[in-house]
Amino acid sequence: MGLFESILSIILLIIISAIISSGEISLAGARKLKLQQMANDGDLRAKKVLELQEQPGQFITVVQIGLNMVAILGGMIGEGQITPYVYAFLSKYSQAEWLESVSSWLSFASVTMSFIVFADLMPKRMAMASPEKVAVKMVGIMTFCIFLFKPLVLLFDSLASGLFRVLRISTIRQESMTPEDIIAIVDAGAEAGVLKTQEHYLIENIFDMQQRTVTSTMTTREHIVFLDKSFTRQQTLETLQQNSHSKLLITDGSLDKIIGYVESHTLLTLYLQQDIVSLTDNRVLRKALYIPDTLSLYEVLELFKSSGEDFAVIINEYALVVGIVTLNDVMSIVMGELVSNEEEQIVRRDEDSWLIDGSTPLEDVMRALNIESFPNQENYETISGFMMYMLRKIPKKTDFVLFEQYKFEIIDTENFKIDQLMVSLRKDIKTEE
């Protein structure tokens, strides 16, 4: 074989190796969701890529067979065919004893560098840039190679699979996606400018619904406005005048004995039509939906959907009423500050301090202060609960808790309830920094 034929053979081997390398990287790195979308759009090649990804054993085997064969042939040609020409060229300028060794090393280095640059680095980097596009172009070639080397592929694949079974190592590709994975993708999309700030905010809040329990957004027991069935016309009208709620509970002596609820506008309409109206009249009284306080907001939303209701009474394990929740309360968690006209629960005073309402859900505090988790947070749901858990006593003004780089100090209480806290960055930690 002459020098021209040897170089041509090396170039051909580099091209083959480049095709195999780009096929390996692209098929392994192609995203399943993107391929599924392409397959749904009618691209049959994308469907073949998905099939190869589900059973990657034969694909990986044929890749290794191809790469090793090319590497061996490249070494044989480089050592056996190119070295004599390099030696003949160098012998014109020197007759040193080490000339033959240097010629061998030079031919080896030149062939190796050519394979590394043109058969590995360049094709792999191009394949990584657009793995799905490259994968669908290469899948036909790789499928043909699997068919061509079928006996060797089956032999080596069976040997490898047998060893994995003996070692009890799973080789099944896991494609499951967790909420954390999706949030990471959303964060990356926001940083890249693909998602708008509002879109990013909404998606994060939707996942919060699966983590938050209904008690984090309910109207608590002490703030529930209700009508007792014994109320006179005057008492009822005064209650409706003072509280502009669309729905009010009807009780029988106490809040833990709920008969149902009424729509304010329906009740007012009846009062306009007649002087005497019974709060237990079937024309106004509606059956209340009861839910346990352990449900997540997502589960509550599903219950509202299935029952056709948008109002529910929340009870605890002792069958005591702890609060009420409406569809609007649940959706406010999703929309949050985008539509809320209510007073903010977290107000930033300056660069180093915040005023936080005691009933603020932990998730909101964690987001505002960039805190990953609170200690044993499964035992409480609000920042007030965190303070009581850490203090191990009934809280009072000036009590404080030091946690991470923050100082949580109670600045206002009412009837043993924490109304407001001051959260500030700890000076000792700031000084150390």
Side-chain angles (χ1 to χ4, degrees), residues 346-348 350-356 362-374 383 386 403-408 422-425:
I346 302 176
V347 178
R348 187 161 192 167
D350 52 43
E351 186 178 347
D352 297 334
S353 63
W354 297 259
L355 282 175
I356 301 181
L362 281 183
E363 290 82 359
D364 294 340
V365 178
M366 291 162 65
R367 181 183 298 174
L369 303 183
N370 196 26
I371 295 175
E372 290 188 3
S373 63
F374 282 94
I383 192 63
F386 160 72
F403 176 66
E404 291 194 353
Q405 71 267 40
Y406 298 105
K407 178 182 179 181
F408 296 80
M422 171 80 74
V423 181
S424 56
L425 287 172

PDB file of all heavy atoms in Angstrom, residues 346-348 350-356 362-374 383 386 403-408 422-425:
ATOM      1  N   ILE A 346     -45.536  39.576  54.024  1.00  0.00           N
ATOM      2  CA  ILE A 346     -44.089  39.772  54.187  1.00  0.00           C
ATOM      3  C   ILE A 346     -43.720  41.117  53.587  1.00  0.00           C
ATOM      4  O   ILE A 346     -43.916  41.351  52.394  1.00  0.00           O
ATOM      5  CB  ILE A 346     -43.296  38.648  53.509  1.00  0.00           C
ATOM      6  CG1 ILE A 346     -43.691  37.283  54.087  1.00  0.00           C
ATOM      7  CG2 ILE A 346     -41.790  38.874  53.683  1.00  0.00           C
ATOM      8  CD1 ILE A 346     -43.017  36.115  53.402  1.00  0.00           C
ATOM      9  N   VAL A 347     -43.216  42.015  54.422  1.00  0.00           N
ATOM     10  CA  VAL A 347     -42.829  43.351  53.964  1.00  0.00           C
ATOM     11  C   VAL A 347     -41.342  43.561  54.253  1.00  0.00           C
ATOM     12  O   VAL A 347     -40.903  43.448  55.411  1.00  0.00           O
ATOM     13  CB  VAL A 347     -43.654  44.443  54.663  1.00  0.00           C
ATOM     14  CG1 VAL A 347     -43.205  45.828  54.204  1.00  0.00           C
ATOM     15  CG2 VAL A 347     -45.150  44.238  54.406  1.00  0.00           C
ATOM     16  N   ARG A 348     -40.603  43.866  53.227  1.00  0.00           N
ATOM     17  CA  ARG A 348     -39.169  44.108  53.412  1.00  0.00           C
ATOM     18  C   ARG A 348     -38.950  45.563  53.826  1.00  0.00           C
ATOM     19  O   ARG A 348     -39.269  46.486  53.077  1.00  0.00           O
ATOM     20  CB  ARG A 348     -38.407  43.792  52.127  1.00  0.00           C
ATOM     21  CG  ARG A 348     -36.901  43.867  52.308  1.00  0.00           C
ATOM     22  CD  ARG A 348     -36.167  43.130  51.228  1.00  0.00           C
ATOM     23  NE  ARG A 348     -34.743  42.974  51.552  1.00  0.00           N
ATOM     24  CZ  ARG A 348     -33.911  42.165  50.923  1.00  0.00           C
ATOM     25  NH1 ARG A 348     -34.362  41.434  49.922  1.00  0.00           N
ATOM     26  NH2 ARG A 348     -32.646  42.080  51.282  1.00  0.00           N
ATOM     27  N   ASP A 350     -35.905  47.007  54.885  1.00  0.00           N
ATOM     28  CA  ASP A 350     -34.666  47.497  54.282  1.00  0.00           C
ATOM     29  C   ASP A 350     -33.872  46.285  53.810  1.00  0.00           C
ATOM     30  O   ASP A 350     -34.414  45.176  53.719  1.00  0.00           O
ATOM     31  CB  ASP A 350     -33.851  48.347  55.274  1.00  0.00           C
ATOM     32  CG  ASP A 350     -33.625  47.637  56.604  1.00  0.00           C
ATOM     33  OD1 ASP A 350     -33.307  46.432  56.579  1.00  0.00           O
ATOM     34  OD2 ASP A 350     -33.772  48.280  57.661  1.00  0.00           O
ATOM     35  N   GLU A 351     -32.607  46.483  53.542  1.00  0.00           N
ATOM     36  CA  GLU A 351     -31.786  45.401  52.973  1.00  0.00           C
ATOM     37  C   GLU A 351     -31.618  44.231  53.934  1.00  0.00           C
ATOM     38  O   GLU A 351     -31.443  43.085  53.512  1.00  0.00           O
ATOM     39  CB  GLU A 351     -30.410  45.960  52.592  1.00  0.00           C
ATOM     40  CG  GLU A 351     -29.521  44.975  51.854  1.00  0.00           C
ATOM     41  CD  GLU A 351     -28.194  45.572  51.449  1.00  0.00           C
ATOM     42  OE1 GLU A 351     -28.050  46.810  51.525  1.00  0.00           O
ATOM     43  OE2 GLU A 351     -27.302  44.800  51.053  1.00  0.00           O
ATOM     44  N   ASP A 352     -31.699  44.502  55.249  1.00  0.00           N
ATOM     45  CA  ASP A 352     -31.371  43.468  56.236  1.00  0.00           C
ATOM     46  C   ASP A 352     -32.528  43.052  57.132  1.00  0.00           C
ATOM     47  O   ASP A 352     -32.328  42.291  58.075  1.00  0.00           O
ATOM     48  CB  ASP A 352     -30.218  43.952  57.130  1.00  0.00           C
ATOM     49  CG  ASP A 352     -28.931  44.201  56.351  1.00  0.00           C
ATOM     50  OD1 ASP A 352     -28.762  43.561  55.295  1.00  0.00           O
ATOM     51  OD2 ASP A 352     -28.120  45.037  56.791  1.00  0.00           O
ATOM     52  N   SER A 353     -33.763  43.532  56.889  1.00  0.00           N
ATOM     53  CA  SER A 353     -34.840  43.175  57.806  1.00  0.00           C
ATOM     54  C   SER A 353     -36.182  43.086  57.085  1.00  0.00           C
ATOM     55  O   SER A 353     -36.395  43.735  56.057  1.00  0.00           O
ATOM     56  CB  SER A 353     -34.937  44.194  58.952  1.00  0.00           C
ATOM     57  OG  SER A 353     -35.268  45.474  58.464  1.00  0.00           O
ATOM     58  N   TRP A 354     -37.085  42.265  57.678  1.00  0.00           N
ATOM     59  CA  TRP A 354     -38.421  42.028  57.132  1.00  0.00           C
ATOM     60  C   TRP A 354     -39.440  42.037  58.263  1.00  0.00           C
ATOM     61  O   TRP A 354     -39.141  41.612  59.388  1.00  0.00           O
ATOM     62  CB  TRP A 354     -38.498  40.674  56.437  1.00  0.00           C
ATOM     63  CG  TRP A 354     -37.630  40.496  55.242  1.00  0.00           C
ATOM     64  CD1 TRP A 354     -37.987  40.561  53.930  1.00  0.00           C
ATOM     65  CD2 TRP A 354     -36.228  40.178  55.248  1.00  0.00           C
ATOM     66  NE1 TRP A 354     -36.911  40.318  53.114  1.00  0.00           N
ATOM     67  CE2 TRP A 354     -35.821  40.073  53.894  1.00  0.00           C
ATOM     68  CE3 TRP A 354     -35.272  39.988  56.260  1.00  0.00           C
ATOM     69  CZ2 TRP A 354     -34.507  39.787  53.537  1.00  0.00           C
ATOM     70  CZ3 TRP A 354     -33.967  39.707  55.900  1.00  0.00           C
ATOM     71  CH2 TRP A 354     -33.597  39.609  54.552  1.00  0.00           C
ATOM     72  N   LEU A 355     -40.647  42.513  57.974  1.00  0.00           N
ATOM     73  CA  LEU A 355     -41.781  42.363  58.872  1.00  0.00           C
ATOM     74  C   LEU A 355     -42.657  41.244  58.321  1.00  0.00           C
ATOM     75  O   LEU A 355     -43.043  41.276  57.149  1.00  0.00           O
ATOM     76  CB  LEU A 355     -42.592  43.656  58.948  1.00  0.00           C
ATOM     77  CG  LEU A 355     -42.023  44.777  59.811  1.00  0.00           C
ATOM     78  CD1 LEU A 355     -42.887  46.021  59.672  1.00  0.00           C
ATOM     79  CD2 LEU A 355     -41.944  44.358  61.272  1.00  0.00           C
ATOM     80  N   ILE A 356     -42.942  40.244  59.162  1.00  0.00           N
ATOM     81  CA  ILE A 356     -43.676  39.072  58.691  1.00  0.00           C
ATOM     82  C   ILE A 356     -44.872  38.811  59.597  1.00  0.00           C
ATOM     83  O   ILE A 356     -44.731  38.760  60.830  1.00  0.00           O
ATOM     84  CB  ILE A 356     -42.768  37.824  58.642  1.00  0.00           C
ATOM     85  CG1 ILE A 356     -41.580  38.071  57.707  1.00  0.00           C
ATOM     86  CG2 ILE A 356     -43.545  36.597  58.188  1.00  0.00           C
ATOM     87  CD1 ILE A 356     -40.643  36.896  57.567  1.00  0.00           C
ATOM     88  N   LEU A 362     -45.071  28.746  55.862  1.00  0.00           N
ATOM     89  CA  LEU A 362     -43.619  28.541  55.814  1.00  0.00           C
ATOM     90  C   LEU A 362     -43.066  28.661  54.397  1.00  0.00           C
ATOM     91  O   LEU A 362     -41.979  29.184  54.186  1.00  0.00           O
ATOM     92  CB  LEU A 362     -43.271  27.148  56.368  1.00  0.00           C
ATOM     93  CG  LEU A 362     -43.254  26.975  57.886  1.00  0.00           C
ATOM     94  CD1 LEU A 362     -42.829  25.557  58.220  1.00  0.00           C
ATOM     95  CD2 LEU A 362     -42.333  27.977  58.551  1.00  0.00           C
ATOM     96  N   GLU A 363     -43.823  28.144  53.414  1.00  0.00           N
ATOM     97  CA  GLU A 363     -43.332  28.160  52.036  1.00  0.00           C
ATOM     98  C   GLU A 363     -43.050  29.584  51.564  1.00  0.00           C
ATOM     99  O   GLU A 363     -42.054  29.831  50.871  1.00  0.00           O
ATOM    100  CB  GLU A 363     -44.344  27.490  51.095  1.00  0.00           C
ATOM    101  CG  GLU A 363     -44.472  25.987  51.262  1.00  0.00           C
ATOM    102  CD  GLU A 363     -45.395  25.605  52.410  1.00  0.00           C
ATOM    103  OE1 GLU A 363     -45.916  26.536  53.086  1.00  0.00           O
ATOM    104  OE2 GLU A 363     -45.596  24.402  52.636  1.00  0.00           O
ATOM    105  N   ASP A 364     -43.898  30.527  51.967  1.00  0.00           N
ATOM    106  CA  ASP A 364     -43.699  31.921  51.569  1.00  0.00           C
ATOM    107  C   ASP A 364     -42.470  32.516  52.251  1.00  0.00           C
ATOM    108  O   ASP A 364     -41.717  33.285  51.645  1.00  0.00           O
ATOM    109  CB  ASP A 364     -44.937  32.757  51.908  1.00  0.00           C
ATOM    110  CG  ASP A 364     -46.146  32.338  51.078  1.00  0.00           C
ATOM    111  OD1 ASP A 364     -45.951  31.700  50.026  1.00  0.00           O
ATOM    112  OD2 ASP A 364     -47.278  32.641  51.483  1.00  0.00           O
ATOM    113  N   VAL A 365     -42.277  32.159  53.518  1.00  0.00           N
ATOM    114  CA  VAL A 365     -41.105  32.655  54.252  1.00  0.00           C
ATOM    115  C   VAL A 365     -39.828  32.068  53.658  1.00  0.00           C
ATOM    116  O   VAL A 365     -38.828  32.777  53.486  1.00  0.00           O
ATOM    117  CB  VAL A 365     -41.223  32.300  55.750  1.00  0.00           C
ATOM    118  CG1 VAL A 365     -39.986  32.780  56.507  1.00  0.00           C
ATOM    119  CG2 VAL A 365     -42.480  32.907  56.357  1.00  0.00           C
ATOM    120  N   MET A 366     -39.864  30.789  53.348  1.00  0.00           N
ATOM    121  CA  MET A 366     -38.691  30.128  52.769  1.00  0.00           C
ATOM    122  C   MET A 366     -38.298  30.780  51.444  1.00  0.00           C
ATOM    123  O   MET A 366     -37.119  30.976  51.158  1.00  0.00           O
ATOM    124  CB  MET A 366     -38.970  28.638  52.574  1.00  0.00           C
ATOM    125  CG  MET A 366     -39.076  27.869  53.880  1.00  0.00           C
ATOM    126  SD  MET A 366     -39.887  26.253  53.732  1.00  0.00           S
ATOM    127  CE  MET A 366     -38.725  25.387  52.699  1.00  0.00           C
ATOM    128  N   ARG A 367     -39.314  31.120  50.662  1.00  0.00           N
ATOM    129  CA  ARG A 367     -39.035  31.751  49.366  1.00  0.00           C
ATOM    130  C   ARG A 367     -38.478  33.156  49.549  1.00  0.00           C
ATOM    131  O   ARG A 367     -37.522  33.548  48.888  1.00  0.00           O
ATOM    132  CB  ARG A 367     -40.315  31.787  48.532  1.00  0.00           C
ATOM    133  CG  ARG A 367     -40.128  32.414  47.156  1.00  0.00           C
ATOM    134  CD  ARG A 367     -41.444  32.478  46.407  1.00  0.00           C
ATOM    135  NE  ARG A 367     -41.993  31.158  46.174  1.00  0.00           N
ATOM    136  CZ  ARG A 367     -43.188  30.926  45.648  1.00  0.00           C
ATOM    137  NH1 ARG A 367     -43.957  31.950  45.326  1.00  0.00           N
ATOM    138  NH2 ARG A 367     -43.615  29.709  45.446  1.00  0.00           N
ATOM    139  N   ALA A 368     -39.069  33.928  50.473  1.00  0.00           N
ATOM    140  CA  ALA A 368     -38.642  35.314  50.659  1.00  0.00           C
ATOM    141  C   ALA A 368     -37.243  35.419  51.258  1.00  0.00           C
ATOM    142  O   ALA A 368     -36.463  36.306  50.881  1.00  0.00           O
ATOM    143  CB  ALA A 368     -39.636  36.047  51.558  1.00  0.00           C
ATOM    144  N   LEU A 369     -36.913  34.501  52.170  1.00  0.00           N
ATOM    145  CA  LEU A 369     -35.625  34.565  52.867  1.00  0.00           C
ATOM    146  C   LEU A 369     -34.584  33.617  52.290  1.00  0.00           C
ATOM    147  O   LEU A 369     -33.471  33.536  52.799  1.00  0.00           O
ATOM    148  CB  LEU A 369     -35.817  34.258  54.359  1.00  0.00           C
ATOM    149  CG  LEU A 369     -36.802  35.154  55.118  1.00  0.00           C
ATOM    150  CD1 LEU A 369     -36.838  34.773  56.590  1.00  0.00           C
ATOM    151  CD2 LEU A 369     -36.433  36.615  54.957  1.00  0.00           C
ATOM    152  N   ASN A 370     -34.965  32.888  51.240  1.00  0.00           N
ATOM    153  CA  ASN A 370     -34.051  31.939  50.607  1.00  0.00           C
ATOM    154  C   ASN A 370     -33.559  30.883  51.603  1.00  0.00           C
ATOM    155  O   ASN A 370     -32.362  30.601  51.702  1.00  0.00           O
ATOM    156  CB  ASN A 370     -32.861  32.666  49.974  1.00  0.00           C
ATOM    157  CG  ASN A 370     -32.101  31.784  48.990  1.00  0.00           C
ATOM    158  OD1 ASN A 370     -32.672  30.854  48.424  1.00  0.00           O
ATOM    159  ND2 ASN A 370     -30.832  32.051  48.806  1.00  0.00           N
ATOM    160  N   ILE A 371     -34.500  30.315  52.358  1.00  0.00           N
ATOM    161  CA  ILE A 371     -34.201  29.252  53.326  1.00  0.00           C
ATOM    162  C   ILE A 371     -34.672  27.933  52.730  1.00  0.00           C
ATOM    163  O   ILE A 371     -35.803  27.822  52.258  1.00  0.00           O
ATOM    164  CB  ILE A 371     -34.920  29.515  54.664  1.00  0.00           C
ATOM    165  CG1 ILE A 371     -34.366  30.790  55.318  1.00  0.00           C
ATOM    166  CG2 ILE A 371     -34.750  28.327  55.609  1.00  0.00           C
ATOM    167  CD1 ILE A 371     -35.097  31.192  56.583  1.00  0.00           C
ATOM    168  N   GLU A 372     -33.805  26.931  52.724  1.00  0.00           N
ATOM    169  CA  GLU A 372     -34.148  25.643  52.119  1.00  0.00           C
ATOM    170  C   GLU A 372     -35.151  24.869  52.960  1.00  0.00           C
ATOM    171  O   GLU A 372     -36.067  24.242  52.428  1.00  0.00           O
ATOM    172  CB  GLU A 372     -32.882  24.813  51.898  1.00  0.00           C
ATOM    173  CG  GLU A 372     -31.970  25.371  50.801  1.00  0.00           C
ATOM    174  CD  GLU A 372     -30.835  24.428  50.478  1.00  0.00           C
ATOM    175  OE1 GLU A 372     -30.790  23.330  51.067  1.00  0.00           O
ATOM    176  OE2 GLU A 372     -29.989  24.800  49.643  1.00  0.00           O
ATOM    177  N   SER A 373     -34.993  24.885  54.271  1.00  0.00           N
ATOM    178  CA  SER A 373     -35.918  24.144  55.135  1.00  0.00           C
ATOM    179  C   SER A 373     -35.803  24.640  56.566  1.00  0.00           C
ATOM    180  O   SER A 373     -34.773  25.197  56.966  1.00  0.00           O
ATOM    181  CB  SER A 373     -35.632  22.639  55.074  1.00  0.00           C
ATOM    182  OG  SER A 373     -34.324  22.363  55.583  1.00  0.00           O
ATOM    183  N   PHE A 374     -36.877  24.421  57.330  1.00  0.00           N
ATOM    184  CA  PHE A 374     -36.887  24.728  58.757  1.00  0.00           C
ATOM    185  C   PHE A 374     -36.752  23.414  59.534  1.00  0.00           C
ATOM    186  O   PHE A 374     -37.114  22.344  59.030  1.00  0.00           O
ATOM    187  CB  PHE A 374     -38.192  25.425  59.136  1.00  0.00           C
ATOM    188  CG  PHE A 374     -38.238  26.884  58.774  1.00  0.00           C
ATOM    189  CD1 PHE A 374     -38.792  27.297  57.570  1.00  0.00           C
ATOM    190  CD2 PHE A 374     -37.725  27.839  59.625  1.00  0.00           C
ATOM    191  CE1 PHE A 374     -38.843  28.633  57.226  1.00  0.00           C
ATOM    192  CE2 PHE A 374     -37.764  29.191  59.291  1.00  0.00           C
ATOM    193  CZ  PHE A 374     -38.320  29.586  58.092  1.00  0.00           C
ATOM    194  N   ILE A 383     -45.067  30.544  60.158  1.00  0.00           N
ATOM    195  CA  ILE A 383     -43.888  31.061  60.861  1.00  0.00           C
ATOM    196  C   ILE A 383     -44.161  31.194  62.351  1.00  0.00           C
ATOM    197  O   ILE A 383     -43.256  31.062  63.182  1.00  0.00           O
ATOM    198  CB  ILE A 383     -43.445  32.415  60.253  1.00  0.00           C
ATOM    199  CG1 ILE A 383     -42.067  32.811  60.764  1.00  0.00           C
ATOM    200  CG2 ILE A 383     -44.471  33.490  60.512  1.00  0.00           C
ATOM    201  CD1 ILE A 383     -40.957  31.862  60.367  1.00  0.00           C
ATOM    202  N   PHE A 386     -43.465  27.846  63.806  1.00  0.00           N
ATOM    203  CA  PHE A 386     -42.012  27.667  63.932  1.00  0.00           C
ATOM    204  C   PHE A 386     -41.507  28.290  65.229  1.00  0.00           C
ATOM    205  O   PHE A 386     -40.711  27.678  65.958  1.00  0.00           O
ATOM    206  CB  PHE A 386     -41.325  28.300  62.721  1.00  0.00           C
ATOM    207  CG  PHE A 386     -39.866  28.603  62.927  1.00  0.00           C
ATOM    208  CD1 PHE A 386     -38.925  27.590  62.974  1.00  0.00           C
ATOM    209  CD2 PHE A 386     -39.435  29.923  63.082  1.00  0.00           C
ATOM    210  CE1 PHE A 386     -37.569  27.871  63.171  1.00  0.00           C
ATOM    211  CE2 PHE A 386     -38.097  30.214  63.276  1.00  0.00           C
ATOM    212  CZ  PHE A 386     -37.159  29.179  63.319  1.00  0.00           C
ATOM    213  N   PHE A 403     -31.813  31.429  63.846  1.00  0.00           N
ATOM    214  CA  PHE A 403     -31.798  30.290  62.916  1.00  0.00           C
ATOM    215  C   PHE A 403     -31.069  30.703  61.644  1.00  0.00           C
ATOM    216  O   PHE A 403     -31.413  31.717  61.021  1.00  0.00           O
ATOM    217  CB  PHE A 403     -33.217  29.824  62.596  1.00  0.00           C
ATOM    218  CG  PHE A 403     -33.289  28.718  61.586  1.00  0.00           C
ATOM    219  CD1 PHE A 403     -32.782  27.462  61.878  1.00  0.00           C
ATOM    220  CD2 PHE A 403     -33.845  28.930  60.337  1.00  0.00           C
ATOM    221  CE1 PHE A 403     -32.831  26.443  60.946  1.00  0.00           C
ATOM    222  CE2 PHE A 403     -33.914  27.915  59.399  1.00  0.00           C
ATOM    223  CZ  PHE A 403     -33.394  26.666  59.705  1.00  0.00           C
ATOM    224  N   GLU A 404     -30.056  29.897  61.289  1.00  0.00           N
ATOM    225  CA  GLU A 404     -29.196  30.195  60.154  1.00  0.00           C
ATOM    226  C   GLU A 404     -28.647  31.619  60.307  1.00  0.00           C
ATOM    227  O   GLU A 404     -28.161  31.978  61.367  1.00  0.00           O
ATOM    228  CB  GLU A 404     -29.931  29.970  58.834  1.00  0.00           C
ATOM    229  CG  GLU A 404     -30.216  28.499  58.563  1.00  0.00           C
ATOM    230  CD  GLU A 404     -30.630  28.225  57.136  1.00  0.00           C
ATOM    231  OE1 GLU A 404     -30.838  29.173  56.352  1.00  0.00           O
ATOM    232  OE2 GLU A 404     -30.731  27.027  56.802  1.00  0.00           O
ATOM    233  N   GLN A 405     -28.784  32.460  59.271  1.00  0.00           N
ATOM    234  CA  GLN A 405     -28.222  33.812  59.376  1.00  0.00           C
ATOM    235  C   GLN A 405     -29.246  34.841  59.826  1.00  0.00           C
ATOM    236  O   GLN A 405     -29.007  36.041  59.743  1.00  0.00           O
ATOM    237  CB  GLN A 405     -27.605  34.253  58.040  1.00  0.00           C
ATOM    238  CG  GLN A 405     -28.616  34.542  56.927  1.00  0.00           C
ATOM    239  CD  GLN A 405     -28.856  33.325  56.071  1.00  0.00           C
ATOM    240  OE1 GLN A 405     -28.931  32.212  56.571  1.00  0.00           O
ATOM    241  NE2 GLN A 405     -28.953  33.558  54.763  1.00  0.00           N
ATOM    242  N   TYR A 406     -30.408  34.365  60.342  1.00  0.00           N
ATOM    243  CA  TYR A 406     -31.488  35.280  60.688  1.00  0.00           C
ATOM    244  C   TYR A 406     -31.825  35.257  62.182  1.00  0.00           C
ATOM    245  O   TYR A 406     -31.653  34.256  62.877  1.00  0.00           O
ATOM    246  CB  TYR A 406     -32.753  34.929  59.898  1.00  0.00           C
ATOM    247  CG  TYR A 406     -32.593  35.040  58.416  1.00  0.00           C
ATOM    248  CD1 TYR A 406     -32.478  33.892  57.628  1.00  0.00           C
ATOM    249  CD2 TYR A 406     -32.549  36.282  57.791  1.00  0.00           C
ATOM    250  CE1 TYR A 406     -32.325  33.988  56.249  1.00  0.00           C
ATOM    251  CE2 TYR A 406     -32.399  36.381  56.421  1.00  0.00           C
ATOM    252  CZ  TYR A 406     -32.291  35.235  55.654  1.00  0.00           C
ATOM    253  OH  TYR A 406     -32.144  35.331  54.293  1.00  0.00           O
ATOM    254  N   LYS A 407     -32.351  36.392  62.638  1.00  0.00           N
ATOM    255  CA  LYS A 407     -32.910  36.512  63.981  1.00  0.00           C
ATOM    256  C   LYS A 407     -34.401  36.757  63.829  1.00  0.00           C
ATOM    257  O   LYS A 407     -34.830  37.742  63.217  1.00  0.00           O
ATOM    258  CB  LYS A 407     -32.268  37.674  64.731  1.00  0.00           C
ATOM    259  CG  LYS A 407     -32.847  37.889  66.132  1.00  0.00           C
ATOM    260  CD  LYS A 407     -32.204  39.085  66.817  1.00  0.00           C
ATOM    261  CE  LYS A 407     -32.802  39.317  68.204  1.00  0.00           C
ATOM    262  NZ  LYS A 407     -32.191  40.493  68.876  1.00  0.00           N
ATOM    263  N   PHE A 408     -35.226  35.860  64.379  1.00  0.00           N
ATOM    264  CA  PHE A 408     -36.677  35.963  64.328  1.00  0.00           C
ATOM    265  C   PHE A 408     -37.157  36.484  65.691  1.00  0.00           C
ATOM    266  O   PHE A 408     -37.086  35.765  66.682  1.00  0.00           O
ATOM    267  CB  PHE A 408     -37.314  34.606  64.034  1.00  0.00           C
ATOM    268  CG  PHE A 408     -36.960  34.035  62.692  1.00  0.00           C
ATOM    269  CD1 PHE A 408     -35.751  33.390  62.485  1.00  0.00           C
ATOM    270  CD2 PHE A 408     -37.844  34.148  61.627  1.00  0.00           C
ATOM    271  CE1 PHE A 408     -35.433  32.856  61.255  1.00  0.00           C
ATOM    272  CE2 PHE A 408     -37.536  33.612  60.387  1.00  0.00           C
ATOM    273  CZ  PHE A 408     -36.323  32.973  60.196  1.00  0.00           C
ATOM    274  N   MET A 422     -40.291  40.413  63.546  1.00  0.00           N
ATOM    275  CA  MET A 422     -39.243  41.135  62.847  1.00  0.00           C
ATOM    276  C   MET A 422     -38.124  40.135  62.560  1.00  0.00           C
ATOM    277  O   MET A 422     -37.594  39.498  63.469  1.00  0.00           O
ATOM    278  CB  MET A 422     -38.694  42.276  63.703  1.00  0.00           C
ATOM    279  CG  MET A 422     -37.453  42.930  63.119  1.00  0.00           C
ATOM    280  SD  MET A 422     -37.851  44.105  61.838  1.00  0.00           S
ATOM    281  CE  MET A 422     -38.502  45.447  62.831  1.00  0.00           C
ATOM    282  N   VAL A 423     -37.804  39.982  61.289  1.00  0.00           N
ATOM    283  CA  VAL A 423     -36.730  39.081  60.888  1.00  0.00           C
ATOM    284  C   VAL A 423     -35.583  39.932  60.371  1.00  0.00           C
ATOM    285  O   VAL A 423     -35.774  40.789  59.492  1.00  0.00           O
ATOM    286  CB  VAL A 423     -37.184  38.098  59.798  1.00  0.00           C
ATOM    287  CG1 VAL A 423     -36.051  37.162  59.423  1.00  0.00           C
ATOM    288  CG2 VAL A 423     -38.384  37.298  60.274  1.00  0.00           C
ATOM    289  N   SER A 424     -34.403  39.727  60.927  1.00  0.00           N
ATOM    290  CA  SER A 424     -33.245  40.529  60.527  1.00  0.00           C
ATOM    291  C   SER A 424     -32.017  39.645  60.387  1.00  0.00           C
ATOM    292  O   SER A 424     -31.915  38.577  61.009  1.00  0.00           O
ATOM    293  CB  SER A 424     -32.989  41.640  61.548  1.00  0.00           C
ATOM    294  OG  SER A 424     -32.832  41.093  62.847  1.00  0.00           O
ATOM    295  N   LEU A 425     -31.103  40.093  59.570  1.00  0.00           N
ATOM    296  CA  LEU A 425     -29.838  39.370  59.410  1.00  0.00           C
ATOM    297  C   LEU A 425     -29.015  39.539  60.674  1.00  0.00           C
ATOM    298  O   LEU A 425     -28.910  40.636  61.228  1.00  0.00           O
ATOM    299  CB  LEU A 425     -29.063  39.916  58.210  1.00  0.00           C
ATOM    300  CG  LEU A 425     -29.602  39.550  56.824  1.00  0.00           C
ATOM    301  CD1 LEU A 425     -28.869  40.309  55.736  1.00  0.00           C
ATOM    302  CD2 LEU A 425     -29.468  38.058  56.585  1.00  0.00           C
TER     303      LEU A 425
END
